[in-house]
Amino acid sequence: MNNFCLSGGVRPASLAPRGLCLLLSMAILAGSCREQDATFPKVIVLGFDGMDPKLCERLMDAGQLPHLSKMRNNGGYRRLATTIPPQSPVAWASFITGADPGIHGVFDFIHRDASRQCVPYYSVAETIESDQGWEIGDYKIPLTFWPFNHQAVETKLRRGGTPFWDYLDEAGVPVRIYDIPANYPPSPSHAGHMCCLSGMGVPDLLGTLGGMYQFFSDAIVVARDEPGGGGMRHPLVFKNHTAKGAITGPRNVYDRKGKSARVPFVIHRHPSDPTARIEIQDQTIVLQEGEWSDWQEIDFELEMPSLLPNAHVVGMCRFYLQKVHPTFRLYVTPINIDPSDPGDQKISEPPEFVTRIADELGRFYTTGFQEDHKALSNKVFSDEEFRQQADYVLEERLALLEYALAHYNDGLLFFYFSSTDLQAHMFWWESDEKHPVRSPTEAAKYNDVIVELYKRMDQVVGDVVQRYGETATILVMSDHGFVNFKRQFNLNTWLRKNGYLRPSDCGSLLDPTKGAPVDWSRSRAYGMGLNGLYVNLKGRELYGSVDPEDRNALLSKITEQLLAERDPQNGKQIIAKVYRTDEVYTNPDAATVPDLIIGYESGYRASWATTLGDLSNEVVADNDATWSADHCIAADQVPGVLYSNHPITTNDPSLLDLAPTILTLFQVEVPQTMTGVTVFDRKDAVVATVGFPGKRPIKE
């Protein structure tokens, strides 16, 4: 998924330093994660993002996934229906709540603010700025303690609904959740029995969702941000084989000019050998060409008014020395929140959960997107370098799994893997057709990386089954599958072509420099995000033009035309299904939800320009990005997988069935907001809860 720099976007909950917090607050309240004396059932859920059933079935038939095959042979395998649309935050929010987007309110990576017509924002979390504070020159500092009680800068979880683990927490069941998406900031544990490490959605220290790498080279002339987002390029000038640079840090939230902190460093490269020495703060890092550093602490100083001490915000990064001669190339990871010392950035529940992990494992990636796909898309990484970096992420995740298993006694353990999704976006190509950027040989070579990854994940499952298969119910699941992404469809260009978006030369919903501005008084519909289409409705949109009584007829006409659209290159149907949200969602919030969800055919997806409201010249064009596979299409074309060490008796399970299944395994009542059913026979659920001292009635 793209990096987002959206209005109402996300950044770490507070960039106030520890020193300043001591001056401006009285106490920090920390939660607990109490251990229980009682013995509970064991339920282990392994979440493999994007694991595809078609590939799994092909590899199982070929004997290459023996542990998953054993589950299938014992009746423990089904394809798992995904959400509408099959986007990761939507799907994981549905898994978490056991409910559709009408309940939890997440229907895309990107939502729009109708009160500002169509300004986009990240769907799962929002940073709310404070309009209060002590004003000193260029600074405005909220005083959050008595008697001032100013509103602090705060990041809030936008996902609605009740997470299924709240019911387990209330029942006294121990819950341990690692790296789950769509739960940043982490929801609270009201009874103290739940520990959670947030995953997808956690920003870097600069506040970007995808992470902002920094790339330094003497081949760069002018510093700039990457046009496609996700990174910065910084020039270096060597004199006598020495160059100076600076790492850009977080914005000073107290400075109304918005200055960013910078940490200088010095590079000494060897005159002839492929070696360089980096001196930064009190650290000296010596790297060979092609070598990665360990995680390095970086202390960013934020300037404050003269009567206060300067603020300090600590993060961490790794350095990768790509090339020394003749052109120098140095990659620096996004600045991650340090799990050993996150300060006021809450990335786990309780806050000390992440520090306990780091005490044992050391530092590890904390950003929600860890595989740096943008570095590959922007040609900072080669294919091999991205594969190497993604493997490092996986090794960290496997170490975290070992930690999770070592500290697991009973109750629920959920563990998430991102590798099967983010590596697939960049390497998947299940086709002999022309790849967007690779030769046929290279496309086949890197598609094999995904095959080997599935085989490795099969071994992970086998290890867990060997250790817990006799004592635990084990579920292996994914949120959706994968298909090739060959052609991109610009929804707004199509709307302009068909007279729904005016004038005929408008170039962007938001940027007036890209063509004539949109005339909202004559525009009846627009697209925003990966799958959403909105009617420009009076009384809802700021400049609404469509009367509410005309909405249904307009939606019917647009739906009919979209389904009839064909690719001029090959005559194929582009859009498989168009979903009306008032028909497929439960009581959706009409003020926020799209009117239509566009379900693309396999091989097609919304164009890169569409997602944030830009228009291209062509309605349909080739995908020319390294991001060559996707899943944001018609839901029935990309189901996920469900495996278990118990027979699955539901023929057509969906993501909405998993939360009720987990609650049933612990004899906890399933709430009315969950419409799914358990995937096991009742007798299997009862067997799984023998000896559970805290049984509660299960809703029939």
Side-chain angles (χ1 to χ4, degrees):
M1 187 56 210
N2 285 338
N3 292 49
F4 299 123
C5 296
L6 308 179
S7 174
V10 180
R11 67 163 179 263
S14 172
L15 293 179
R18 288 174 294 277
L20 188 65
C21 289
L22 289 172
L23 287 172
L24 302 183
S25 65
M26 298 301 294
I28 296 176
L29 185 64
S32 64
C33 202
R34 298 196 298 269
E35 298 297 332
Q36 307 296 318
D37 295 330
T39 300
F40 294 85
K42 295 181 176 68
V43 178
I44 299 174
V45 181
L46 300 178
F48 293 101
D49 200 308
M51 181 172 273
D52 180 73
K54 301 182 297 298
L55 180 55
C56 281
E57 289 160 11
R58 177 165 65 82
L59 295 177
M60 286 191 295
D61 291 344
Q64 294 182 288
L65 304 179
H67 304 291
L68 293 174
S69 292
K70 185 175 181 180
M71 287 182 167
R72 180 177 69 166
N73 295 340
N74 292 333
Y77 170 68
R78 296 285 190 279
R79 292 189 175 192
L80 187 69
T82 185
T83 51
I84 299 171
Q87 297 185 31
S88 290
V90 183
W92 288 109
S94 295
F95 166 74
I96 288 169
T97 60
D100 67 51
I103 301 295
H104 59 67
V106 178
F107 42 81
D108 202 295
F109 268 100
I110 302 169
H111 290 185
R112 65 83 175 88
D113 182 353
S115 69
R116 295 188 288 169
Q117 186 60 32
C118 59
V119 174
Y121 61 88
Y122 175 53
S123 61
V124 180
E126 176 188 17
T127 297
I128 300 171
E129 303 286 349
S130 175
D131 59 1
Q132 300 173 310
W134 178 26
E135 297 190 20
I136 316 173
D138 291 331
Y139 300 90
K140 188 174 185 178
I141 305 170
L143 305 178
T144 58
F145 51 86
W146 183 87
F148 305 99
N149 299 323
H150 292 160
Q151 177 64 46
V153 177
E154 182 180 13
T155 299
K156 290 186 176 182
L157 180 66
R158 281 184 172 270
R159 190 205 70 235
T162 302
F164 71 81
W165 55 72
D166 275 12
Y167 303 103
L168 300 178
D169 188 25
E170 179 189 355
V173 178
V175 177
R176 302 294 181 269
I177 298 171
Y178 293 85
D179 269 359
I180 195 163
N183 194 49
Y184 171 79
S187 62
S189 173
H190 299 292
H193 307 295
M194 187 274 289
C195 290
C196 176
L197 178 64
S198 292
M200 183 189 299
V202 176
D204 65 2
L205 211 61
L206 276 64
T208 69
L209 290 172
M212 184 73 71
Y213 67 79
Q214 300 187 46
F215 174 59
F216 299 84
S217 175
D218 54 359
I220 297 170
V221 177
V222 178
R224 63 176 174 88
D225 290 348
E226 297 283 15
M232 307 175 187
R233 293 183 182 242
H234 301 288
L236 293 174
V237 177
F238 280 91
K239 294 182 178 180
N240 298 322
H241 301 291
T242 296
K244 294 181 179 180
I247 294 176
T248 300
R251 180 175 65 87
N252 188 343
V253 296
Y254 306 116
D255 184 347
R256 285 181 288 195
K257 294 181 179 179
K259 296 178 183 176
S260 294
R262 290 169 62 83
V263 171
F265 63 90
V266 178
I267 300 168
H268 305 281
R269 66 176 177 186
H270 193 279
S272 57
D273 294 344
T275 305
R277 185 175 78 251
I278 302 166
E279 296 172 351
I280 182 167
Q281 295 182 329
D282 59 349
Q283 302 164 97
T284 298
I285 306 159
V286 178
L287 296 175
Q288 296 286 327
E289 194 172 276
E291 185 179 5
W292 287 81
S293 74
D294 294 330
W295 287 108
Q296 307 293 323
E297 178 182 297
I298 307 294
D299 183 345
F300 295 98
E301 186 172 19
L302 306 180
E303 187 174 321
M304 300 297 289
S306 58
L307 67 164
L308 290 174
N310 283 348
H312 288 264
V313 178
V314 176
M316 63 175 196
C317 63
R318 298 178 71 215
F319 295 84
Y320 170 48
L321 184 59
Q322 293 178 287
K323 197 74 176 174
V324 179
H325 300 288
T327 300
F328 188 89
R329 295 170 60 91
L330 177 69
Y331 164 90
V332 181
T333 65
I335 311 300
N336 280 234
I337 297 168
D338 186 345
S340 67
D341 188 9
D344 290 339
Q345 285 77 251
K346 187 178 180 183
I347 57 176
S348 73
E349 169 65 16
E352 63 269 19
F353 182 51
V354 69
T355 58
R356 290 206 302 264
I357 298 171
D359 286 345
E360 189 165 323
L361 292 185
R363 295 185 172 109
F364 53 88
Y365 275 102
T366 56
T367 52
F369 290 91
Q370 299 176 3
E371 296 88 346
D372 199 343
H373 62 90
K374 295 302 293 186
L376 177 57
S377 295
N378 293 329
K379 297 182 171 55
V380 169
F381 278 169
S382 66
D383 287 334
E384 276 301 305
E385 287 173 324
F386 174 75
R387 184 191 61 77
Q388 180 188 43
Q389 189 264 338
D391 280 348
Y392 186 89
V393 170
L394 178 57
E395 291 301 328
E396 281 195 346
R397 196 66 57 89
L398 291 171
L400 182 61
L401 176 62
E402 280 300 313
Y403 173 92
L405 295 172
H407 291 267
Y408 174 65
N409 295 314
D410 54 13
L412 174 69
L413 171 62
F414 172 87
F415 196 92
Y416 169 85
F417 285 90
S418 62
S419 299
T420 39
D421 180 81
L422 278 169
Q423 289 199 46
H425 276 299
M426 312 311 287
F427 288 152
W428 178 289
W429 194 251
E430 291 282 306
S431 174
D432 293 330
E433 295 180 293
K434 183 179 181 298
H435 188 276
V437 298
R438 296 190 183 101
S439 69
T441 301
E442 290 293 293
K445 172 184 174 181
Y446 286 104
N447 189 65
D448 284 344
V449 170
I450 305 304
V451 172
E452 293 304 312
L453 177 62
Y454 274 46
K455 291 160 68 173
R456 191 170 187 185
M457 295 300 95
D458 178 76
Q459 186 58 53
V460 169
V461 173
D463 181 55
V464 172
V465 171
Q466 181 180 13
R467 293 157 74 169
Y468 293 96
E470 297 299 319
T471 60
T473 298
I474 298 171
L475 294 168
V476 178
M477 50 83 65
S478 68
D479 54 335
H480 53 70
F482 258 90
V483 293
N484 292 350
F485 172 22
K486 296 180 287 187
R487 298 273 281 167
Q488 50 182 327
F489 181 81
N490 192 299
L491 179 59
N492 285 310
T493 302
W494 182 89
L495 289 168
R496 182 182 64 186
K497 176 183 175 183
N498 286 275
Y500 296 110
L501 196 60
R502 294 292 189 181
S504 60
D505 57 346
C506 64
S508 173
L509 303 184
L510 300 165
D511 188 349
T513 68
K514 295 183 177 180
V518 172
D519 182 351
W520 293 109
S521 68
R522 295 192 295 141
S523 295
R524 292 181 288 166
Y526 62 94
M528 182 61 69
L530 284 157
N531 295 93
L533 183 147
Y534 299 83
V535 170
N536 188 30
L537 197 65
K538 286 182 179 179
R540 185 181 69 179
E541 269 71 11
L542 179 63
Y543 306 114
S545 65
V546 177
D547 291 322
E549 58 267 27
D550 297 332
R551 173 180 174 271
N552 286 337
L554 177 61
L555 291 178
S556 295
K557 183 178 180 182
I558 290 174
T559 297
E560 181 182 359
Q561 289 179 279
L562 282 170
L563 292 174
E565 189 71 19
R566 295 296 183 268
D567 188 339
Q569 185 183 80
N570 52 37
K572 291 183 178 179
Q573 186 166 340
I574 297 170
I575 294 166
K577 292 187 178 181
V578 178
Y579 310 90
R580 281 188 57 146
T581 54
D582 53 9
E583 295 176 353
V584 297
Y585 292 167
T586 303
N587 299 322
D589 180 1
T592 60
V593 74
D595 296 284
L596 298 176
I597 299 292
I598 312 303
Y600 294 95
E601 283 280 3
S602 178
Y604 295 86
R605 202 206 70 177
S607 71
W608 299 107
T610 292
T611 57
L612 292 178
D614 284 348
L615 286 77
S616 55
N617 292 328
E618 298 176 303
V619 174
V620 191
D622 286 336
N623 174 31
D624 58 359
T626 311
W627 184 286
S628 55
D630 213 280
H631 44 82
C632 301
I633 63 171
D636 60 351
Q637 300 199 20
V638 279
V641 299
L642 178 64
Y643 293 89
S644 178
N645 61 337
H646 293 303
I648 299 170
T649 55
T650 301
N651 288 328
D652 299 303
S654 81
L655 272 171
L656 300 188
D657 294 332
L658 298 187
T661 297
I662 293 167
L663 294 183
T664 301
L665 289 169
F666 289 102
Q667 295 276 28
V668 171
E669 184 177 1
V670 178
Q672 294 289 342
T673 54
M674 295 184 183
T675 57
V677 298
T678 178
V679 302
F680 301 123
D681 278 341
R682 180 58 50 84
K683 62 180 177 61
D684 292 326
V686 172
V687 168
T689 57
V690 168
F692 176 29
K695 291 181 182 178
R696 300 179 59 177
I698 304 173
K699 184 182 71 177
E700 296 293 341

